[in-house]
Amino acid sequence: MSVVVAVLVYVFAVLTATGQSLENAALRGADQYGDTARNAADTNLGQITVYSLACAVIAVAVIGLLRRRWELAVAAVGVIVAGQVVTQGLKRYVLPRPGLVPLVGHYAENSLPSGHTTIAMTVLFAALIVAPYRWRGVALFLFLGWAASIGSYTVTAKWHRLSDTLAADAISLALACIASWWLARCGLVHRYEGRRRIPRVLIVVFTALAGLTALALGLLLLIVPLSRYGLDDVLRNETWDVYLVAQSLASAGSIAAALVFLATWRRKRT
């Protein structure tokens, strides 16, 4: 299903003039945010380096090994590494960005999927995979806010478009689900028969409400100007609204991917 979502995002946002125009308008709208916000986004994105990625890989591997589950370590590390292999391969060699609308500079180059968003989401999924059942909700709480913000920062800093983040979310989810399937095939996934943990339920409910709020806000900011002014006028004069739509939907996409993955692990332990 997540692969279908990634394909649909690519087809609409990259292979249609309307999709490209809307995403370019969001990039122009980001210019109105101010230098302070863009510098903050650049700073946060700049913290994702080869070294920080290596530290994340080592951390999840160590947690898996400390639990004496080398399969967990392999699955978690595999999600992060495969995420970059797939993302960079698609972006650089497979998915073209045809010039359907006038655009100059490096924004004309293909940037789908977002490597930074893939890193953030695969680290989140890897943490959920290696975390013991009792700590899975805590892992979600600690990592989801950071992972979702990375997708939003890429739009603010104009490093990526909304479609880049959504495609990265979908690809990361697909890889995490493949890793989970492998763990189940190895016989490491078992049903949890204990009582429901209220704090984790509250975390999931709060996260779901945040995601629905971001989705509703994004759709509202898109539908109202379109119905009032029409597409051409929105692309010319309402670029700030289009940028806010991209921000909201980027957050909603990351939250949705995380909740879908967590649902596949509902009452499952390793």
Side-chain angles (χ1 to χ4, degrees), residues 45-46 48 84 91 114-121 150 154 159-160:
L45 293 174
I48 298 180
Q84 286 309 293
K91 180 165 59 177
S114 164
H116 280 75
T117 303
T118 300
I119 289 174
M121 293 302 293
I150 292 298
T154 61
W159 288 24
H160 285 285

Side-chain angles (χ1 to χ4, degrees), residues 20-252:
Q20 287 194 13
S21 297
L22 284 169
E23 294 207 296
N24 294 341
L27 293 179
R28 295 196 303 274
D31 290 332
Q32 302 178 44
Y33 208 168
D35 292 336
T36 301
R38 287 199 301 274
N39 290 337
D42 282 331
T43 299
N44 282 277
L45 293 174
Q47 293 174 353
I48 298 180
T49 64
V50 173
Y51 302 106
S52 62
L53 181 59
C55 289
V57 168
I58 293 172
V60 297
V62 167
I63 293 173
L65 294 176
L66 286 176
R67 295 189 60 198
R68 298 181 181 179
R69 297 285 193 275
W70 67 266
E71 296 95 339
L72 289 180
V74 170
V77 171
V79 169
I80 298 174
V81 174
Q84 286 309 293
V85 172
V86 173
T87 295
Q88 298 303 325
L90 290 175
K91 180 165 59 177
R92 297 176 186 274
Y93 305 112
V94 178
L95 302 179
R97 179 175 290 277
L100 302 180
V101 296
L103 188 65
V104 296
H106 71 278
Y107 298 124
E109 300 173 2
N110 184 43
S111 56
L112 184 149
S114 164
H116 280 75
T117 303
T118 300
I119 289 174
M121 293 302 293
T122 53
V123 168
L124 166 65
F125 292 144
L128 294 176
I129 287 173
V130 298
Y133 180 83
R134 72 181 68 177
W135 294 104
R136 201 173 293 153
V138 175
L140 178 72
F141 177 77
L142 292 177
F143 286 97
L144 180 55
W146 167 74
S149 67
I150 292 298
S152 298
Y153 284 143
T154 61
V155 179
T156 299
K158 303 175 68 172
W159 288 24
H160 285 285
R161 301 168 175 86
L162 169 63
S163 61
D164 304 341
T165 69
L166 296 180
D169 291 334
I171 290 170
S172 301
L173 175 59
L175 294 172
C177 288
I178 292 173
S180 301
W181 172 82
W182 179 72
L183 289 172
R185 293 277 294 181
C186 292
L188 292 179
V189 180
H190 309 283
R191 181 168 178 79
Y192 177 75
E193 301 295 346
R195 62 184 179 84
R196 189 186 303 273
R197 295 182 177 274
I198 300 302
R200 181 163 60 185
V201 173
L202 294 177
I203 290 173
V204 172
V205 170
F206 175 79
T207 302
L209 290 175
L212 289 173
T213 300
L215 176 62
L217 179 61
L219 293 177
L220 182 67
L221 289 172
L222 178 62
I223 293 173
V224 172
L226 284 176
S227 61
R228 180 176 299 178
Y229 306 115
L231 178 61
D232 291 339
D233 190 69
V234 167
L235 294 176
R236 286 194 304 268
N237 303 317
E238 306 297 329
T239 56
W240 173 250
D241 286 344
V242 180
Y243 162 73
L244 293 178
V245 169
Q247 283 274 289
S248 298
L249 295 185
S251 297

